[in-house]
Amino acid sequence: MQVWKFGGTSVGKPERMHSIRTLITADDSTKIVVLSALSGTTNALLSISESLKGNHDDEAAEKIEHLKAHYNSFIRDLYKTTTGLTKGQQIVENEFSYIRSLMRVKPFTPKQEKELVAEGELLSTQMFQSYLEEQGESSLLLPALEFMRIDADGEPELDYIERKLREMLRPHNDKQIIVTQGFIARNPRGEVDNLKRGGSDYTASLIGGAIRAEEIQIWTDIDGMHNNDPRIVKNTFPIRELTFEEAAELAYFGAKILHPSTITPARKYGVPVRLKNTMDPAAPGTLIADRTAAGAASDQVFKAVAAKDGITALYIHSLRMLNAYGFLRRIFEIFEKHKTPVDMLATSEVSVSVTIDDTSKLKDITDELSAFCDLEEPDYDQTIICIVGNFSADYAGIAAQVLSALRNIPIRMISYGGTEHNLSLLLHSRYKAEALNALNDGLFRPQN
Ligand code: ADP
Ligand code: ASP
Ligand code: MG
């Protein structure tokens, strides 16, 4: 069985849903099809939530009606029969009356916000599956809220997901297409929750891992993982093969094409991930697999660059000066206690600099560090630039080539040697675009 995920732009227009039907029914294999919300919907729902949080109910009501009008016009072009359209109208009416009912809950809390934002995926999947039904395709809608569960830290509960999913799929092995929602999940309180922005990729990978799928395919609006951020740099090109490790680094460090955690379940269960372009299905895309399966391109030194914004750098000095053993342990225990991951690290004998992206516990962390450290003022608005490739310790000149490309840009931190395939740099976000372009010119030759 394969798992195919289609993102917002891939389902964002009725004709795209028509093409997806053609794609997923082109052969007889059984597929689990994970859908995101229609493009723009999650943002629209969050904007309605903002209005409700600010008690601007009239504004929220106006936004809801505007969104509903979009869905009404969408379904008119999606369905081909009056029976199909009637079903589509029922779906839209039901979900929007639920959305309106959320407006009346006072105060409007994060719990309601999560219920509201889940409506995007609940709408797109019901609409698409009823369109498949209208077209006589053998299909089933599997409610993600019944098998996708996260723990109190927001981490997916893999054993539960696997057990529940297998149990729910068992009676339906006659169905060819199983449609489900990306992004949404339930938390330990049984409430509607989600896997954070872009989380449908993660859903696909969690399902693919749970059922030990043959392959997970992520269908989006670009022909695979590019060597650099195509929104910022011209002349980027698709990379045909990546290892799980390389792809995980790129996703974690900002390549928006994949949710940061997507690779984890796929890698755990050894399920290959293929990135494909809905607008150009014949394009080869990118295959992400283990080193042997994806190894063909691994002799290339520089493979790709990604950037992660919103980083804060902390500069921590030991009060004891030299030979301060135990210093790092004490520091990291504090980050662990506050469940705050550290992304980058640079050390000297008496100091350590770290970066974090979650600053929700920053005050507690710095208060506790101050008990045994000198702290400099943190640097905010930083960007990590992550360069991925084959940086064997036996090669000379890799760091030189990177630093030479960035010779005109101030760099705050460098991390090299954590693995043989990553070199990361920290700089102020104002230099990000210049740095990504300079690296493109210095490390890659345009291929097409
Ligand atoms: P979807 O809605 O299908 O999930 P996303 O917008 O989340 O799609 O991700 C696809 C987008 O990611 C592309 O259109 C591209 O602009 C952006 N992107 C950023 N970095 C990269 C990269 N290295 N390779 C490919 N796409 C990237
Ligand atoms: N609809 C959600 C979002 O916009 C999840 C996704 O698209 O992957 O973040
Ligand atoms: Mg996405």
Side-chain angles (χ1 to χ4, degrees), residues 5-11 36-39 197-201 218-232 236-239 250 254-259 275-276 278-279 286 304-307:
K5 174 260 172 177
F6 293 90
T9 39
S10 304
V11 291
S36 296
L38 313 194
S39 52
R197 294 308 304 269
S200 300
D201 304 326
I218 310 279
W219 289 78
T220 181
D221 59 358
I222 190 163
D223 50 354
M225 177 75 80
H226 277 220
N227 70 310
N228 206 327
D229 191 328
R231 296 165 299 176
I232 297 172
T236 62
F237 52 84
I239 308 163
L250 291 169
K256 193 203 168 209
I257 186 169
L258 288 177
H259 176 284
L275 311 182
K276 294 280 289 174
T278 320
M279 322 301 154
T286 300
V305 175

Side-chain angles (χ1 to χ4, degrees), residues 314-319 324-340 342 344-356 364-366 368-370 372-375:
L314 306 180
Y315 306 104
I316 307 160
H317 306 288
S318 165
L319 294 175
Y325 58 80
F327 178 55
L328 289 179
R329 180 183 51 75
R330 290 182 74 188
I331 291 174
F332 285 110
E333 272 172 359
I334 293 171
F335 287 94
E336 186 184 345
K337 177 175 160 197
H338 294 290
K339 295 182 176 164
T340 299
V342 167
M344 258 181 94
L345 176 67
T347 57
S348 79
E349 177 61 25
V350 291
S351 302
V352 51
S353 304
V354 301
T355 71
I356 56 174
D364 295 336
I365 291 171
T366 50
E368 289 185 37
L369 285 172
S370 303
F372 62 99
C373 305
D374 255 347
L375 296 178

